[in-house]
């Protein structure tokens, strides 16, 4: 370590689940719905998560920018 108290993410994969999706089981179900345009809840779910939601996206810079905004002791 370099003695810095800075918190950094070094790597990651996939987007985090949206708030209030029902934990791990709810997120798994949401992904099934989002990848099935014929599912009866597809349109509602797509609207809820927003058109920009991409479960495969991981933005290391955005994660580290968010971590930098958290006060560290």
């Amino acid at each position: 370590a370099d003695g810095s108290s800075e918190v950094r993410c070094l790597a990651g994969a996939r987007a985090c689940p949206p708030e209030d999706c029902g934990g791990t089981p709810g997120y798994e179900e949401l992904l099934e719905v989002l990848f099935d345009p014929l599912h009866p809840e597809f349109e509602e779910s797509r609207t809820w998560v927003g058109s920009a939601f991409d479960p495969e996206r991981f933005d290391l810079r955005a994660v580290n920018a968010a971590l930098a905004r958290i006060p560290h002791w």
Side-chain angles (χ1 to χ4, degrees):
D2 63 6
S4 171
S5 63
E6 182 177 308
V7 176
R8 306 232 348 124
C9 177
L10 301 178
R14 301 191 83 189
C16 66
E19 287 288 323
D20 299 327
C21 72
T24 303
Y27 188 49
E28 289 175 7
E29 183 178 335
L30 175 64
L31 291 178
E32 287 179 23
V33 171
L34 292 176
F35 286 106
D36 181 2
L38 299 177
H39 193 284
E41 296 176 19
F42 176 80
E43 290 297 329
E44 179 183 350
S45 296
R46 176 52 59 194
T47 299
W48 179 69
V49 297
S51 60
F53 179 73
D54 176 2
E56 296 300 322
R57 185 170 184 264
F58 179 79
D59 186 338
L60 184 61
R61 275 194 250 184
V63 170
N64 281 319
L67 288 172
R69 291 189 297 271
I70 299 171
H72 303 288
W73 304 100

